[in-house]
Amino acid sequence: MATFFGEVVVAPSRAGVDDDEEAREETPEDREIRRELEKKREIEILWTLKSGASTESSADEPFACSQFIVAIGRNAAAFLSSFILDSVCWEVVGVVKLWNEWCRTSSTTNVLPTDSFCLFYRLISDPTVLLCQCSCYVAEDQQFQWLEKVFGCMQKEGLQVTVLSTCPVADYKTQESTLTLPSPFLKALKTKEFKEQVCCPLLEQPNIVRDLPAA
Amino acid sequence: MFVPCERGGGSASSDFKGFTLLMPAVSVGNVGQLAIDLVISTLGMTKVGYFYTDCLVPMVGNNPYATAEENSMELSINAEVYSLPSKKLVVLQIRSPFIKNKYRPFCQTLLSWVKSSKCARVVLLSSSHAYQCNDEQLLGTPLRYLLTPDLEKAVGGLMQELNWKEMEKVAAYPGINDTEKVLHIPGGGITKLLFTESCSKGFQMAVLLKFCSEGDNIPDAFALVNYLNEWLQLVQSQVSASNNSTDASSQWKIPSSWRLLFGNGLPPALF
């Protein structure tokens, strides 16, 4: 297509499928590269058992969980660090190891606030209360895997999940300009099974949530 | 893949035997998806389930078809199924793009769901880059259709009566060899893949598409949904007094989620 300046460019399509991608068949080398890349992008969850030894999550039975609070993004993770977490009442019980183009997390549980990490904590007085601080970016193709592996480890009967996240005010769609909006402000989304009072207004259309919080 | 809603209907609400499945391709201008929004919103269709899939970017929001405070609080995600048994219509809406390398598995899973749910036929709404039109395509209607051989037998005659134009094939090697022709739908997303798979697997599928560009695609969506209506007669077309043509545009209800498509209000400090 021609731009206003008269140059001819290939316009990006919202379809998201490049014609090249669809026309080209995968060679065995392509397949091998793709498989290696998929393996590198796999998510590993390491749970720390009572004895202190680390083990793969797949071998364990699902553990009882009544409350699961997930903080996604640096702001939400910092909120938990500042107001909820402390070394007296909470203990680290797991860590997620992942890699993508934006960040890499390690299996260490001794992290700095500026690191990218994804840690699980448990309330010592009530081990069914679990908390997750996820300050690393989980890529599109890893979000479903993260979801399945994390929730695959817990018993889902009677489980209440709370997701904390932040979005830029500039992304908020409203009739007035966002400049005049008193910020920061809270909005919520809830499933119909959630019967308790929500502490803030619900998110109105046309606003949406995407990526890991949505997953 | 398909997860039915838990409602009083039970298994009845996910019985689509003999139904027409209407769905969009995520394509240039999102025209197919906008057209589907108009169909669901106008016909007041009921959600009967969703697709649990790792092939689409996750998203969630409140009810995009809300008409009042009471019905605005139902959550809505990226791939949902709506139905209208009185018209034997089931509609799939897709609200986010495909994750890289996942569009093929999605197409395969979708077609096996179509087979297992015994839908009679599939109608795919799509679009294609207008800038790729050749000279003949620039003249006349920008709307095109495609039918798989199995559906051609059933409705091919009707398309002739409606005076519709079939999507032209293009030369596989333009300038070198003009005899070998292939189907080319640039910007159509999964349209070509779904269509060719349906042809080879014996599905009854129709593709309805419009040539367009990115921009304000609401008029394109209206054009496409009116085109669909010429065939499926989902809403009554009223004869327009001004130009004496049947035009169903006024019959379509714009959903509340179409507000603010082009940004927020302006800051007063700008002036």
Side-chain angles (χ1 to χ4, degrees):
Chain A
M1 73 170 216
T3 68
F4 282 119
F5 298 105
E7 14 150 50
V8 176
V9 294
V10 176
S13 163
R14 276 180 229 169
V17 174
D18 302 318
D19 286 328
D20 285 346
E21 196 182 307
E22 125 196 356
R24 212 180 44 217
E25 286 298 321
E26 244 187 355
T27 65
E29 284 117 349
D30 288 336
R31 209 169 302 138
E32 187 58 39
I33 293 171
R34 188 169 56 79
R35 257 191 233 126
E36 284 299 308
L37 212 62
E38 274 174 12
K39 225 166 44 180
K40 200 172 174 196
R41 295 176 77 92
E42 254 177 38
I43 291 180
E44 250 183 275
I45 307 187
L46 302 162
W47 296 106
T48 325
L49 295 180
K50 281 201 183 108
S51 59
S54 293
T55 181
E56 279 286 336
S57 58
S58 50
D60 294 346
E61 289 220 346
F63 51 81
C65 190
S66 63
Q67 282 275 359
F68 183 38
I69 302 164
V70 193
I72 300 174
R74 287 197 189 277
N75 290 326
F79 167 77
L80 286 189
S81 295
S82 315
F83 293 101
I84 311 286
L85 284 172
D86 59 53
S87 49
V88 176
C89 304
W90 297 87
E91 57 175 352
V92 177
V93 289
V95 62
V96 171
K97 207 169 131 189
L98 63 85
W99 171 89
N100 56 52
E101 292 79 2
W102 292 269
C103 71
R104 173 201 301 277
T105 65
S106 64
S107 48
T108 175
T109 57
N110 202 7
V111 293
L112 294 171
T114 46
D115 292 339
S116 283
F117 57 87
C118 184
L119 293 172
F120 294 91
Y121 298 85
R122 186 169 61 181
L123 189 61
I124 296 173
S125 55
D126 179 359
T128 66
V129 176
L130 210 69
L131 201 143
C132 173
Q133 260 186 328
C134 186
S135 75
C136 63
Y137 175 66
V138 181
E140 271 174 9
D141 56 308
Q142 296 172 315
Q143 287 160 10
F144 193 83
Q145 217 197 116
W146 188 100
L147 190 71
E148 293 268 284
K149 288 197 170 163
V150 170
F151 282 86
C153 298
M154 2 180 132
Q155 270 178 295
K156 291 181 260 295
E157 284 292 319
L159 170 63
Q160 187 180 89
V161 182
T162 310
V163 180
L164 303 173
S165 171
T166 53
C167 288
V169 175
D171 286 350
Y172 183 67
K173 296 206 175 36
T174 172
Q175 199 61 43
E176 318 93 49
S177 153
T178 49
L179 270 183
T180 53
L181 220 56
S183 69
F185 56 90
L186 282 179
K187 292 285 178 186
L189 283 174
K190 64 173 195 71
T191 61
K192 55 180 186 288
E193 285 81 8
F194 184 83
K195 303 290 183 212
E196 293 169 34
Q197 246 324 29
V198 184
C199 57
C200 60
L202 294 181
L203 185 65
E204 328 78 16
Q205 277 284 350
N207 293 288
I208 57 165
V209 175
R210 47 176 295 165
D211 292 326
L212 194 60
Chain B
M1 160 116 133
F2 174 68
V3 179
C5 282
E6 289 134 22
R7 270 175 220 259
S11 62
S13 62
S14 47
D15 178 18
F16 305 128
K17 189 170 175 180
F19 278 37
T20 297
L21 169 66
L22 185 62
M23 61 171 285
V26 180
S27 56
V28 57
N30 305 97
V31 176
Q33 295 161 283
L34 290 172
I36 294 285
D37 259 356
L38 286 173
V39 171
I40 297 172
S41 171
T42 308
L43 299 179
M45 297 181 79
T46 320
K47 190 183 334 187
V48 294
Y50 63 90
F51 280 8
Y52 184 62
T53 172
D54 62 341
C55 302
L56 295 164
V57 174
M59 58 90 14
V60 65
N62 274 323
N63 185 6
Y65 312 112
T67 48
E69 186 74 36
E70 296 79 48
N71 59 21
S72 66
M73 293 185 308
E74 195 180 336
L75 285 187
S76 203
I77 61 166
N78 56 10
E80 296 188 312
V81 180
Y82 299 77
S83 115
L84 189 63
S86 58
K87 289 202 191 286
K88 292 200 101 172
L89 187 67
V90 57
V91 174
L92 165 67
Q93 176 62 303
I94 299 176
R95 300 194 172 97
S96 61
F98 286 100
I99 290 175
K100 199 170 163 65
N101 292 324
K102 288 289 191 177
Y103 64 94
R104 269 181 211 278
F106 181 82
C107 289
Q108 280 155 11
T109 323
L110 175 73
L111 287 178
S112 51
W113 176 69
V114 168
K115 192 167 179 190
S116 63
S117 57
K118 302 193 177 61
C119 290
R121 59 192 182 181
V122 180
V123 179
L124 181 68
L125 299 184
S126 182
S127 53
S128 186
H129 284 306
Y131 68 78
Q132 294 262 18
C133 285
N134 60 30
D135 294 346
E136 290 93 44
Q137 287 172 325
L138 283 173
L139 306 164
T141 174
L143 295 157
R144 295 287 187 277
Y145 78 93
L146 279 168
L147 298 175
T148 57
D150 292 79
L151 190 56
E152 175 82 46
K153 291 176 204 150
V155 303
L158 179 59
M159 301 309 171
Q160 300 292 338
E161 277 173 50
L162 288 171
N163 213 12
W164 278 12
K165 231 170 156 178
E166 194 172 1
M167 180 70 171
E168 303 90 337
K169 288 194 171 164
V170 296
Y173 307 103
I176 300 169
N177 174 4
D178 280 345
T179 48
E180 198 181 324
K181 301 271 193 192
V182 289
L183 189 61
H184 189 46
I185 309 177
I190 57 172
T191 306
K192 185 175 155 187
L193 179 63
L194 266 183
F195 182 71
T196 46
E197 286 290 302
S198 300
C199 285
S200 61
K201 294 194 167 110
F203 283 96
Q204 290 196 8
M205 176 184 279
V207 174
L208 267 56
L209 66 84
K210 183 176 194 293
F211 292 120
C212 67
S213 304
E214 300 280 353
D216 179 359
N217 300 107
I218 293 176
D220 299 311
F222 273 99
L224 191 59
V225 84
N226 284 332
Y227 190 54
L228 173 72
N229 199 49
E230 284 177 37
W231 173 24
L232 292 187
Q233 295 289 304
L234 297 172
V235 298
Q236 287 289 86
S237 327
Q238 280 182 350
V239 178
S240 158
S242 52
N243 55 11
N244 209 28
S245 64
T246 50
D247 176 15
S249 290
S250 54
Q251 304 301 305
W252 302 106
K253 192 167 126 193
I254 291 184
S256 49
S257 54
W258 282 21
R259 284 175 58 232
L260 304 172
L261 275 175
F262 301 104
N264 298 339
L266 295 167
L270 197 62
F271 307 107

